[in-house]
Amino acid sequence: MAPRPREVKDLRQPRSLRNFIDGRFVDGGRPFEIKNPATGKTHAIAYEADLSMIDAAVAAGSRCVDGEWGRMPLSLRRMLLMKVADRIEQRFDEFLDAEIADTGKPRSLATHLDIPRGAANFRVFADVIASLPNEAFEMDTPDGGRAVNYSIRKPLGVVGVIAPWNLPLLLTTWKVAPAMACGNAVVVKPSEETPSTTTLLAEVMKEVGIPDGAFNVVHGFGPGSAGEQLASHPGIRAITFTGETRTGAAIMRAAASTTKALSFELGGKNPALVFADCDFAAAVAGLARAAFLNTGQVCLAPERIYVERPIFDRFVIAMKERAEALRPGLPDEQGTDFGPLISEEHRDKVLGYYRLAVEEGATLVTGGGVPELSGPAAEGYFVEPTIWTGLPQSARVTREEIFGPCCHIAPFDSEEEAIRLANDTEYGLCSSVWTRDLSRAHRVGKAMHVGVSWVNCWFLRDLRTPFGGAKHSGFGREGGAHSIAFYSEITNICMKV
Ligand code: NAD
Ligand code: 6OD
């Protein structure tokens, strides 16, 4: 793709990110700063919604589901969602600038991943909702007659969307699009670290004519703030959440007394299994990308890589070369392909694991510290891509989710051992198996106790397929018809004929 011309922005004034309620940006709320993690500089101010704003957003959503949005003919609703996708693409550079300012990620990454998926999510679910069949069963009745059962889908009501910071637009729209396709209203709480693209999305909703109240944005934090207030709100019928497993547990507790439907995409400690018969170059390229993309801040990243012993040493050296070739820097600098972590706090956490790995007896293959950078990036939250070997399966570094650009590589001697090691975790989000043997690929892929089991690839999938985690990585599946099942209320109509 040809580079897009860049407008020069006046960044002396931080942007103001207000709450969006009932089709309007509203004043008020406690201000908090949003920093660009590549420089540590404040680039925006968001306003924490108070309880009265949350109440207003839920009430607006509820009116809209009972009124214009919930009753809108499907063809019109579908067309509006397509327009949202078109408008994201028309304002592509603004979404890009906003996402980069919040996350510090390389422009090339957000150009190819985050923003296109934001638009694609709306197109996919506009199509899915229009093409999904309803169930129907014809039956005999006790009096010798017949009855026909058929199911119809209705909106649940107001859905709370609580989003994380790692892929902000991608993960928010992954939930907003199917929820709205089903005729629900949404109240979205973006992460307090990355509220910009969700706020921009509110402008888009208004511009394309989404009815007031169908899409609301409330800014804030988790406990005692907008996140908890949404989770416990009696007017909200469902919470869809992506984030840490611990946060999921807190949301369950907050949501319990109002018996909400919940869909959770949580943390992971994902294994990759590399067999000696794999396409070696493809496995190295695929797993280096998987481990370090988005500075390792992808829930699907393989933090545990198991390699069959005959190719173990060669694999470790090849991964080391890949890690050392990554260039950290500002998002727009020539050659930057490795961004910062999201915050100083998260950097402290990741560096804590870097120290712990050494204390636990790891052999440091590469990285383990902070890169030396000059200029504005010197104040950014960068760490080095890091690889370890030599840790036991019981080490905290090989059991706990780090969510940084790091992986531990260990050898295995048999297929059975590889499967056992891979499944020896409390998480179950995804896995990847690298082999040329199709029978083994199927056997091992099936043996993985995960929601998504990749073979010779990673982060690749048709958006109509089920996505979600097993064990502590979540519950419920989203994607295609699975999303529609979660975001709709199904009524069976049984008609005696
Ligand atoms: P997080 O759990 O800290 O925060 C996620 C969201 O929850 C934020 O909007 C936050 O404000 C809100 N929140 C926090 N505490 C809350 C509470 N008590 N009640 C209600 N809301 C609350 O997660 P994060 O740090 O933003 O993201 C990183 C985590 O997300 C990692 O664990 C990663 O694995 C996980 N993740 C999972 C997936 C997936 O698909 N399974 C995708 C992306 C990220
Ligand atoms: O691609 C998706 O739809 C998805 N939910 C990805 C999750 C990535 C985690 O960081």
Side-chain angles (χ1 to χ4, degrees), residues 114-238:
D114 300 70
I115 314 304
R117 260 299 296 279
N121 285 337
F122 282 99
R123 288 217 176 89
V124 164
F125 287 106
D127 278 340
V128 168
I129 191 72
S131 57
L132 216 55
N134 283 333
E135 285 178 299
F137 299 94
E138 197 181 355
M139 63 183 282
D140 297 333
T141 58
D143 62 1
R146 303 285 287 165
V148 178
N149 297 259
Y150 60 98
S151 59
I152 53 163
R153 275 187 227 100
K154 294 184 274 190
L156 286 172
V158 184
V159 173
V161 178
I162 303 181
W165 46 254
N166 60 326
L167 301 166
L169 184 70
L170 187 162
L171 290 172
T172 300
T173 53
W174 172 242
K175 289 166 175 299
V176 165
M180 290 182 70
C182 292
N184 299 292
V186 294
V187 181
V188 186
K189 196 206 84 60
S191 165
E192 55 273 39
E193 312 280 359
T194 55
S196 295
T197 46
T198 306
T199 311
L200 210 45
L201 188 60
E203 290 182 20
V204 163
M205 296 284 173
K206 188 85 185 161
E207 286 164 356
V208 305
I210 297 285
D212 293 350
F215 179 86
N216 305 273
V217 180
V218 292
H219 294 300
F221 305 81
S225 180
E228 185 180 344
Q229 286 156 3
L230 284 184
S232 58
H233 202 289
I236 289 194
R237 282 308 314 136

Side-chain angles (χ1 to χ4, degrees), residues 395-461:
R396 280 181 57 202
V397 166
T398 52
R399 301 202 76 78
E400 297 175 12
E401 183 186 50
I402 300 172
F403 219 55
C406 52
C407 59
H408 179 262
I409 311 180
F412 68 83
D413 292 302
S414 69
E415 188 178 305
E416 295 66 33
E417 185 192 10
I419 292 171
R420 181 177 52 73
L421 291 170
N423 283 335
D424 177 20
T425 169
E426 62 188 24
Y427 291 107
L429 188 55
C430 73
S431 58
S432 66
V433 177
W434 300 79
T435 177
R436 282 193 169 104
D437 177 337
L438 282 186
S439 300
R440 166 183 279 154
H442 180 70
R443 202 166 52 234
V444 179
K446 192 174 164 188
M448 295 295 99
H449 194 172
V450 294
V452 187
S453 178
W454 275 294
V455 176
N456 296 330
C457 60
W458 175 82
F459 210 164
L460 174 72
R461 70 182 213 287

Side-chain angles (χ1 to χ4, degrees), residues 251-268:
I251 290 176
M252 276 181 108
R253 286 192 293 273
S257 65
T258 48
T259 60
K260 292 176 174 54
L262 300 174
S263 175
F264 281 180
E265 295 178 10
L266 308 176

